[in-house]
Amino acid sequence: MFFVFIILLFTVNLGMIYADDINQTNESLFTENMDNLSLNAKEYSMNSLNSSNGSTNDYKSIETPTQELNSNISKINDSKLNTSGNINNTTDIISSSSNSSESNKEKVNENLNNSVSTKNKVQFAGSSLYTVNKSAILDAAAGVKKFVEKNNRVPDYVIISGDKFSMSDFLYMLSKTIVNIANKSSDSVKLSEYKNPSAPQGTAVKGKVQESQYIDLSKRVVAFYEKHGIAPNFGKTNLGNIQFQSMIDGFSRILNFVKVNKVLPKYVSYNVKSSSNINKVIPKITGTHGLTISHKPGNSSSSSNNTNNTIYGNMSIGDIKKASTELKNYIDSYNKVPSAILVDGKKYSMSEFLYLMAASIEYVYSGINKDIQSKPVGDSSSTVGNAVNGTLYAKDYIDLASRIVEYIDAYGKAPDYGISPVGKLQYQNIVDGFSRVLHYVNVKQEIPDYVSYTGKVLKSVDVVVGNTTAKAPVTVPSSPMNSKYDGESLAQYLQATTNAQVNDPVIQALAKKITAGCTSELSKAVALFNWVRDNVGYSYYFNTQQGAKKVTTSLSANCVDTSHLLIALSRASGLPARYVNGKATFNSGNVIGHTWAQILIGDVWVVADAISSRNSFGVINNWNTKNPTIYGKYASISF
């Protein structure tokens, strides 16, 4: 009798994963939030606030995207959602809601239903040994995460590089990859023949699992597969039994975090309700709701309309914080959001800088201190939003930042708006809020508890803002007409004006041509000065008659229009430039009104008067520099 009891006990538990012994259940099998999963770099707390389980945390942290039915967590969309919750655009980011009816679920995209390429013979995993590399698995995890968010179920299968895998195979891939990453290995995953779970089942679970615990779960999932050749029905943890489908979703979110942030999250939160639809639908490899993964090794999946020729590379969080201060100052001064920002001589569109700010907020609050890889980011399709008035607390703007990073990584462009506890935040308001968050961090060296909105709706303006990175001394020609940089905002000295058409394609192309091969601010300025001086003849007339663009074709101008062209070309090349107006005594003895330029090189505004072949950059030879009358120095002039 005792022997029969043992046999029955073994049979019941064959499809389950248990902790190794009773004392290990606190670090036992992990699964993820199916209705509400959030990946976290660290458990979030503000100034050591109590966590949801009542414990006190002594460090600060963040939570990545999550949504409960009645929570304040926002959604990032680039198209509107109707009131029923239907998805109007396949690129919307929607977190699943447990109580959504099946009629309100998005119908699976036809590209997913008919995802098998006719160019590739689709093979079924399980018939032989397969090897899938880490990069492809991370791409697949990101795809499954989005699939679950949109459809509130796992796909029936995934197709990776033309090979079709069951979800049992995929759970093994996920588990093994997490174990490999924990062991600092980038090995590919080899698959054998794995059977589907016999009877997936689970309980309602809610809580958080630390990194060490979900790694432990992954190890035991792998061991279960390799011992029994079958997927587990569920994983037993101290929080409850995590069903097979829920583990797939949870592990997918972990590896999506790795794909975005290059590190494992410090913990994962989940909230699985007994009514969750995700666990009601059993995936079948013969089903119609499959998912094809587009994996291109070594290539970015992002697209962009960027045309500013930025060389994308790593940027330090320190530089991003300083540039955010410059951005905040510009928005405060002009009540507008610029179209681009200049950081260490490199021009980034505001959509690209939004990505850097959002990623910085994630990194700073998760304690990750490493450079962030910049990338091309397309502009939002349109900007919509409301005048919001209220307080966005840290947990909410951190969540928003995390989902913006995910959205841009997925779709290669900035979102139109974000729904938050204070309302629908317009794209420009998100930029404004994030710049103020990072400015606070830059000044106070700690996270702000909240960001307040006062009801204003910002507009974008075609302006390039310069950053506040300290200007290093550069050896330039000494002249009494030079001025010391006083640390003022450089935004106004980089923007387009009526007669200095910085963003005009003609000006942009000419500036690029002239400065080709130049590697420093000084070499660019000298090249631009020499071109204007050598190619534009002098014509005597009063005030502006042409503007910079017309001078490129007439190649003849007075001092005002010559200055317009030199300043426009300088600003188009990322060099702050300004006008100086006064009265000068020329070598002929004539004392007349005169206008020239100054270009900022390092920490010096260097004089640049290109109307005479006797002058050079930083050197004036055609009028007396000892006693001129200076009326003023300006970002733009009206005469």
Side-chain angles (χ1 to χ4, degrees):
M1 184 67 180
F2 177 75
F3 176 76
V4 172
F5 173 76
I6 294 297
I7 294 298
L8 288 174
L9 182 63
F10 175 77
T11 302
V12 168
N13 291 314
L14 180 60
M16 306 177 185
I17 300 179
Y18 289 93
D20 293 337
D21 58 55
I22 236 119
N23 294 326
Q24 285 185 339
T25 55
N26 287 336
E27 294 183 16
S28 180
L29 308 179
F30 156 78
T31 180
E32 258 292 5
N33 169 13
M34 311 317 148
D35 278 345
N36 179 9
L37 169 83
S38 67
L39 296 177
N40 305 272
K42 286 185 182 175
E43 179 170 338
Y44 173 75
S45 65
M46 280 300 304
N47 299 323
S48 300
L49 296 180
N50 288 337
S51 62
S52 60
N53 62 7
S55 62
T56 301
N57 306 299
D58 59 358
Y59 50 82
K60 302 173 183 179
S61 60
I62 68 166
E63 293 189 5
T64 51
T66 182
Q67 181 189 23
E68 292 178 345
L69 185 63
N70 297 317
S71 72
N72 288 329
I73 304 305
S74 60
K75 292 174 276 189
I76 301 298
N77 308 279
D78 68 348
S79 69
K80 298 180 180 178
L81 300 179
N82 62 29
T83 56
S84 68
N86 289 337
I87 298 172
N88 297 326
N89 187 307
T90 59
T91 61
D92 292 339
I93 293 182
I94 307 296
S95 297
S96 61
S97 175
S98 61
N99 293 333
S100 297
S101 65
E102 196 63 32
S103 62
N104 284 340
K105 301 292 188 296
E106 183 188 36
K107 188 177 292 183
V108 179
N109 187 287
E110 291 181 2
N111 290 332
L112 303 182
N113 293 337
N114 305 298
S115 57
V116 180
S117 171
T118 57
K119 295 180 180 180
N120 297 312
K121 180 180 180 180
V122 178
Q123 299 173 320
F124 285 78
S127 59
S128 61
L129 190 67
Y130 281 77
T131 300
V132 185
N133 66 41
K134 173 186 172 183
S135 177
I137 294 171
L138 294 183
D139 285 345
V144 169
K145 169 187 173 292
K146 292 180 178 64
F147 185 98
V148 173
E149 287 175 343
K150 290 185 177 182
N151 301 287
N152 201 20
R153 56 158 295 177
V154 298
D156 285 318
Y157 56 83
V158 291
I159 295 178
I160 305 173
S161 301
D163 293 326
K164 188 175 185 179
F165 297 94
S166 70
M167 297 314 291
S168 295
D169 294 327
F170 190 59
L171 177 58
Y172 179 83
M173 290 186 211
L174 297 171
S175 305
K176 185 66 173 178
T177 301
I178 291 172
V179 173
N180 286 344
I181 293 172
N183 292 332
K184 302 187 183 305
S185 169
S186 296
D187 290 348
S188 298
V189 174
K190 294 182 179 181
L191 294 166
S192 296
E193 297 184 13
Y194 299 125
K195 297 178 182 179
N196 292 326
S198 58
Q201 54 188 293
T203 60
V205 293
K206 183 176 182 179
K208 299 174 181 178
V209 175
Q210 300 298 324
E211 181 180 2
S212 62
Q213 295 173 318
Y214 70 68
I215 291 173
D216 177 69
L217 168 65
S218 300
K219 290 178 179 178
R220 285 179 289 114
V221 169
V222 170
F224 186 91
Y225 268 97
E226 294 177 351
K227 180 177 180 180
H228 301 293
I230 187 172
N233 290 325
F234 63 85
K236 188 172 183 179
T237 74
N238 61 310
L239 298 173
N241 298 337
I242 311 304
Q243 191 164 317
F244 166 73
Q245 298 97 314
S246 295
M247 283 197 288
I248 291 172
D249 183 38
F251 284 9
S252 294
R253 291 174 183 268
I254 289 174
L255 292 184
N256 178 73
F257 186 95
V258 172
K259 176 179 169 65
V260 173
N261 299 287
K262 314 305 180 188
V263 294
L264 287 168
K266 295 299 182 185
Y267 77 82
V268 182
S269 300
Y270 54 93
N271 179 16
V272 186
K273 300 177 182 178
S274 58
S275 60
S276 297
N277 186 73
I278 188 171
N279 288 331
K280 294 180 180 179
V281 181
I282 306 297
K284 298 179 181 180
I285 196 168
T286 57
T288 59
H289 293 177
L291 177 63
T292 296
I293 304 302
S294 299
H295 173 64
K296 298 180 180 180
N299 293 335
S300 170
S301 60
S302 300
S303 61
S304 172
N305 60 1
N306 178 281
T307 58
N308 64 26
N309 300 303
T310 299
I311 300 174
Y312 298 98
N314 291 339
M315 187 185 301
S316 72
I317 292 178
D319 282 346
I320 295 170
K321 289 189 295 186
K322 292 176 183 177
S324 297
T325 293
E326 184 74 19
L327 176 59
K328 170 197 170 291
N329 291 339
Y330 179 88
I331 295 173
D332 288 347
S333 298
Y334 297 96
N335 203 34
K336 296 178 181 179
V337 173
S339 60
I341 189 165
L342 193 71
V343 183
D344 289 339
K346 296 178 182 179
K347 182 180 176 184
Y348 299 88
S349 73
M350 196 46 54
S351 296
E352 291 164 349
F353 193 65
L354 172 62
Y355 176 83
L356 292 170
M357 288 195 295
S360 293
I361 288 172
E362 277 196 298
Y363 278 29
V364 168
Y365 302 142
S366 64
I368 300 173
N369 185 20
K370 67 176 185 178
D371 291 352
I372 297 173
Q373 174 70 42
S374 62
K375 62 192 297 182
V377 178
D379 293 333
S380 56
S381 303
S382 61
T383 54
V384 293
N386 304 320
V388 295
N389 197 332
T391 298
L392 193 64
Y393 289 97
K395 66 182 179 65
D396 299 314
Y397 69 67
I398 291 166
D399 175 79
L400 182 61
S402 298
R403 286 176 295 107
I404 286 176
V405 169
E406 288 193 357
Y407 183 90
I408 293 175
D409 280 334
Y411 305 114
K413 67 175 183 177
D416 295 338
Y417 63 87
I419 297 176
S420 76
V422 297
K424 184 186 291 185
L425 285 173
Q426 186 176 315
Y427 161 79
Q428 292 92 334
N429 289 112
I430 297 173
V431 171
D432 175 38
F434 283 6
S435 72
R436 286 187 279 139
V437 168
L438 290 175
H439 166 70
Y440 187 95
V441 175
N442 189 36
V443 174
K444 301 288 188 179
Q445 303 304 314
E446 62 180 1
I447 61 172
D449 291 343
Y450 58 85
V451 174
S452 296
Y453 286 91
T454 57
K456 64 181 179 181
V457 175
L458 299 169
K459 293 183 178 181
S460 294
V461 60
D462 198 7
V463 172
V464 180
V465 176
N467 73 327
T468 56
T469 301
K471 291 290 181 179
V474 176
T475 301
V476 295
S478 177
S479 171
M481 293 295 97
N482 292 346
S483 304
K484 190 73 173 177
Y485 172 57
D486 61 4
E488 67 176 318
S489 172
L490 299 175
Q492 60 183 327
Y493 301 119
L494 286 161
Q495 68 183 17
T497 66
T498 301
N499 291 304
Q501 303 94 335
V502 174
N503 300 303
D504 188 277
V506 173
I507 298 296
Q508 288 279 332
L510 182 57
K512 180 180 177 181
K513 179 180 178 181
I514 295 171
T515 59
C518 296
T519 59
S520 66
E521 293 178 342
L522 181 58
S523 62
K524 287 181 181 180
V526 170
L528 293 169
F529 178 91
N530 289 346
W531 191 94
V532 173
R533 180 197 62 192
D534 298 341
N535 289 275
V536 179
Y538 180 75
S539 297
Y540 182 79
Y541 53 84
F542 292 103
N543 301 332
T544 299
Q545 291 189 11
Q546 301 180 74
K549 184 178 179 180
K550 288 185 178 179
V551 175
T552 62
T553 54
S554 71
L555 296 179
S556 181
N558 71 347
C559 62
V560 181
D561 278 326
T562 298
S563 297
H564 285 320
L565 178 58
L566 180 56
I567 287 172
L569 291 172
S570 298
R571 293 179 180 180
S573 302
L575 302 176
R578 66 187 184 186
Y579 299 87
V580 183
N581 177 241
K583 184 181 293 185
T585 302
F586 285 81
N587 294 344
S588 63
N590 294 327
V591 180
I592 57 176
H594 188 41
T595 298
W596 60 96
Q598 282 185 330
I599 301 172
L600 185 61
I601 304 299
D603 60 349
V604 178
W605 288 100
V606 181
V607 65
D609 188 349
I611 66 167
S612 172
S613 60
R614 288 174 288 175
N615 296 342
S616 58
F617 183 65
V619 178
I620 303 296
N621 288 315
N622 69 323
W623 50 271
N624 190 343
T625 59
K626 294 181 180 180
N627 59 355
T629 300
I630 305 298
Y631 299 138
K633 299 166 185 175
Y634 315 99
S636 63
I637 54 177
S638 58
F639 52 84

